[in-house]
């Protein structure tokens, strides 16, 4: 590629300045940077045709409804010739080609900050965010005009923290003794905590199944797990300890530290999913908390032919306004690939109500929950006992205690399966029509939270982070009971399987009230597991 070739701004790559960050100087010229370049699919028409077939099939259509991973590679992989073009561009700038993955449509390149900056027309600076350093940029990336149609996104130049774990913590011992609550969240006192197995029973999950033969993927952007704690936790519950495997993505590692770190997220996810589906294999994908790390972890899980996950649970996210459009598009396409494979993706909708902790006076939805290709999971607060629910309403414990994330997307349009749900317009000026979040909800208030064990401490944790792995466990049970993957559930839940949902009609999450039918607090409501199994049974 000649150096004089015209360059264009890469659509959707614009980055704003990091709010609250302190500029501490230029990036070292010799700093080695690794990037992921996302390439367009070779046969977009074939992918669209398969997607239409999947969307139009009955929810109980069976194994013939889904693609195998080799079939997805053939239908949706990159064009090898275009991958060669991208590799040639990298080598022209004296950058290393680390790997190229046709099925995942990605090319990984690396080189010095000086050469990377020249290749993509950016100025890289270092910033301090609350004592932690990161690399950042502003404005768009530029690429050769000949690659405009080929490259869909470039990830890794900016490594600012991209997402937050959606959990709220209260130390059970501290609550009883009146001691300090961990800094990650100050919440109302626990009224009654539940084990994940108790919640599964209250929600009428499939008692005859245990998840055997299924693999549940957990996406984690920090923290770690302690096997000794898992041994103690599951022994106490009288539940077989699930098999847990870890996968490193982009250098991410299983690195446990302290209970008030991201360890709370990792252990919550494993303990909730493992309690619901103890015979399922739990696979934890550890990646850096960057847009590149997040995307690569999802892509790895979707295309993993070693562990073959049938459901992916994601408890991390951030307001749509914090993402580049190229990142949201790439992740949404990865979720669409998951749907073609029959892999269900559950995402926490956020713990900060309709504001999503932006603080600009507007309503915001959380991504990736706002993707139309995932099951977005909001939050409720339970009142009752281990034997029965006496009341359930929208989770809203106030500014300190958190509330169910939800609203109308500023990015994604209403999907066809939400057409009959009478979605309200956005609470923001103009009342935009958009994808409604969440789809379903489950127990999330720390005041009715989940009894878990983290780094040697018994704790009570809430947040929509718990709801995503809870329903991921249910889906593993459904897959086992049906003998096939339920896959992308949303069209069924908004249609023929709607009777499996228990409507939550009380409360609000700030800008949006709960009510009869779908609402932007708890979606369609909580899932009754056995009723959903009945609704998904083959009709022949």
């Amino acid at each position: 590629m000649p150096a004089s070739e015209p360059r264009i701004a890469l659509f959707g790559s614009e980055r704003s300045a990091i709010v609250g960050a302190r500029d501490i100087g230029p990036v070292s010229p010799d700093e080695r940077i690794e990037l992921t370049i996302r390439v367009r699919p070779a046969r977009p028409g074939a992918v669209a045709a398969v997607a239409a077939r999947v969307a139009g099939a009955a929810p109980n259509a069976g194994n013939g409804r889904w693609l195998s991973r080799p079939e997805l590679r053939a239908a949706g992989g990159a064009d090898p010739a275009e991958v060669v073009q991208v590799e040639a561009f990298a080598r022209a700038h004296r950058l290393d080609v680390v790997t190229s993955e046709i099925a995942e449509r990605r090319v990984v390149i690396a080189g010095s900050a000086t050469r990377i900056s020249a290749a993509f027309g950016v100025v890289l600076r270092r910033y301090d965010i609350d004592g932690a350093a990161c690399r950042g940029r502003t404005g768009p990336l530029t690429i050769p005009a000949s690659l405009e149609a080929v490259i869909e996104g470039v990830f890794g130049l900016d490594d600012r923290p991209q997402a937050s774990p959606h959990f709220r913590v209260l130390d059970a011992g501290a609550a009883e003794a009146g001691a300090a609550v961990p800094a990650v969240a100050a919440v109302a006192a626990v009224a009654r905590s539940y084990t994940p197995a108790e919640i599964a029973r209250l929600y009428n999950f499939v008692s005859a199944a245990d998840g055997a033969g299924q693999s549940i993927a957990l996406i984690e952007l920090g923290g770690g797990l302690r096997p000794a704690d898992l041994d103690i936790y599951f022994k106490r519950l009288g539940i077989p300890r699930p098999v847990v495997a870890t996968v490193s993505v982009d250098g991410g590692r299983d690195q446990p530290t302290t209970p008030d770190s991201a360890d709370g997220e990792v252990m919550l996810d494993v303990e909730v999913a493992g309690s619901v589906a103890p015979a399922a294999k739990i696979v934890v994908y550890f990646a850096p908390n960057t847009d590149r790390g997040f995307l690569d972890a999802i892509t790895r899980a979707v295309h993993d032919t070693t562990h073959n996950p049938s459901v992916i649970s994601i408890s991390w996210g951030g307001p749509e306004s914090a993402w580049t459009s190229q990142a949201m598009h790439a992740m949404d396409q990865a979720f669409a690939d998951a749907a073609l494979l029959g892999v269900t993706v559950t995402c926490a909708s956020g713990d900060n109500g309709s504001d999503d902790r932006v603080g600009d006076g507007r309503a915001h939805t959380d991504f990736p929950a706002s993707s139309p290709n995932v099951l977005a999971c909001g939050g409720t607060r339970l009142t009752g006992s281990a034997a029965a629910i006496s009341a359930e309403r929208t989770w809203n414990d106030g500014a300190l205690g958190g509330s169910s994330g939800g609203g109308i997307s500023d990015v994604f349009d209403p999907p066809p399966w939400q057409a009959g749900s009478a979605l309200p317009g956005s609470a923001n000026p103009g009342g935009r029509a958009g994808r409604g979040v969440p789809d379903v909800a489950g127990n999330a208030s720390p005041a009715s939270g989940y009894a878990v064990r983290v780094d040697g401490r018994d704790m009570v944790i809430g947040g929509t982070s718990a709801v995503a792995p809870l329903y991921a466990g249910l889906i593993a049970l459904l897959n086992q009971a049906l003998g096939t993957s339920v896959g992308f559930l949303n069209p069924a839940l908004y249609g023929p399987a709607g009777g499996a949902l228990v409507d939550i009609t009380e409360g609000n999450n700030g800008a949006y009230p709960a009510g009869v039918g779908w609402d932007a607090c708890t979606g369609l409501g909580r899932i009754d597991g056995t009723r959903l199994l009945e609704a998904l049974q083959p009709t022949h």
Side-chain angles (χ1 to χ4, degrees):
M1 293 180 183
S4 59
E5 181 180 348
R7 298 178 68 87
I8 54 98
L10 178 60
F11 178 78
S13 65
E14 296 82 2
R15 273 287 196 186
S16 301
I18 305 174
V19 177
R22 180 171 60 90
D23 188 327
I24 55 177
V27 169
S28 169
D30 297 326
E31 179 178 335
R32 183 173 173 83
I33 298 173
E34 191 169 281
L35 307 179
T36 294
I37 300 176
R38 177 87 168 178
V39 181
R40 69 177 177 178
R43 300 168 59 207
V47 176
V50 173
R53 188 195 82 198
V54 168
N60 50 20
N63 290 318
R65 187 180 175 201
W66 314 122
L67 293 182
S68 67
R69 284 179 168 86
E71 287 172 334
L72 178 62
R73 176 189 180 98
D79 182 339
E82 293 185 340
V83 168
V84 169
Q85 279 185 269
V86 173
E87 292 173 341
F89 159 68
R91 293 190 176 105
H93 286 273
R94 295 182 293 166
L95 300 172
D96 299 326
V97 177
V98 178
T99 187
S100 296
E101 302 287 347
I102 299 296
E104 299 178 24
R105 296 194 283 121
R106 68 188 184 107
V107 179
V108 178
I109 66 172
S112 69
T114 296
R115 292 176 181 174
I116 288 281
S117 297
F120 295 98
V122 295
V123 175
L124 298 174
R125 307 283 297 179
R126 296 208 69 79
Y127 296 89
D128 179 276
I129 306 176
D130 298 327
C134 72
R135 190 172 59 240
R137 64 178 178 86
T138 57
L141 308 179
T142 64
I143 58 174
S146 60
L147 294 176
E148 178 180 12
V150 174
I151 294 178
E152 292 188 336
V154 178
F155 307 95
L157 282 157
D158 188 309
D159 66 358
R160 70 184 75 182
Q162 183 60 62
S164 299
H166 291 323
F167 73 105
R168 297 273 175 158
V169 176
L170 182 66
D171 185 296
E176 293 171 2
V181 173
V184 287
V187 301
V190 172
R192 191 201 191 285
S193 64
Y194 299 83
T195 68
E198 287 174 333
I199 296 295
R201 286 193 293 271
L202 290 170
Y203 284 3
N204 199 24
F205 282 10
V206 184
S207 59
D210 58 8
Q214 302 300 308
S215 177
I216 300 173
L218 305 175
I219 304 298
E220 305 294 353
L221 307 180
L225 55 87
R226 297 187 188 274
D229 278 349
L230 296 178
D231 291 339
I232 293 170
Y233 183 76
F234 286 102
K235 183 177 181 180
R236 282 181 183 172
L237 294 181
I239 295 173
R241 182 191 186 281
V243 174
V244 180
T246 62
V247 176
S248 174
V249 179
D250 295 348
R253 292 288 185 271
D254 175 8
Q255 295 180 318
T257 53
T258 61
D260 57 354
S261 70
D263 292 3
E265 183 60 71
V266 177
M267 294 297 282
L268 173 71
D269 289 349
V270 172
E271 290 169 357
V272 171
S275 294
V276 175
K281 184 177 184 179
I282 309 293
V283 187
V284 188
Y285 297 78
F286 286 101
N289 186 7
T290 64
D291 61 355
R292 177 185 181 236
F294 208 162
L295 171 63
D296 285 353
I298 293 165
T299 303
R300 177 75 64 83
V302 169
H303 293 276
D304 189 343
T305 55
T306 299
H307 300 293
N308 295 303
S310 56
V311 56
I312 299 172
S313 176
I314 301 174
S315 294
W316 298 69
E320 290 176 328
S321 58
W323 295 81
T324 62
S325 61
Q326 68 169 0
M328 287 188 282
H329 172 76
M331 288 175 67
D332 179 57
Q333 289 303 302
F335 297 140
D337 285 349
L340 297 179
L341 294 170
V343 175
T344 314
V345 182
T346 62
C347 289
S349 72
D351 296 349
N352 296 282
S354 59
D355 168 76
D356 210 21
R357 205 169 59 178
V358 175
D360 62 357
R362 296 173 63 88
H364 294 269
T365 51
D366 203 81
F367 182 83
S370 65
S371 163
N373 289 300
V374 306
L375 181 70
C377 302
T380 67
R381 177 171 173 169
L382 285 182
T383 304
S385 67
I389 299 170
S390 57
E392 190 167 14
R393 58 182 291 118
T394 299
W395 169 37
N396 189 339
D397 293 336
L400 291 179
S403 58
S404 177
I408 300 298
S409 173
D410 287 329
V411 175
F412 298 99
D413 293 333
W417 34 266
Q418 283 191 322
S421 296
L423 301 182
S426 169
N428 293 325
R432 181 186 187 275
R435 159 37 166 164
V437 177
D439 300 302
V440 295
N443 182 46
S445 170
S448 57
Y450 296 74
V452 295
R453 185 173 178 84
V454 182
D455 295 327
R457 290 165 65 182
D458 296 324
M459 309 180 76
V460 175
I461 297 184
T464 56
S465 277
V467 187
L470 180 78
Y471 284 139
L474 169 62
I475 289 159
L477 302 182
L478 294 171
N479 290 347
Q480 178 193 4
L482 291 167
T484 183
S485 293
V486 299
F488 185 49
L489 270 175
N490 294 27
L493 294 175
Y494 283 83
L501 293 143
V502 178
D503 202 2
I504 308 298
T505 60
E506 296 184 8
N508 68 78
N509 68 350
Y512 300 97
V516 175
W518 185 92
D519 57 63
C521 304
T522 58
L524 297 168
R526 68 162 163 88
I527 299 175
D528 180 301
T530 298
R531 280 160 52 184
L532 181 55
L533 174 62
E534 292 169 354
L536 297 175
Q537 290 286 353
T539 55
H540 56 275

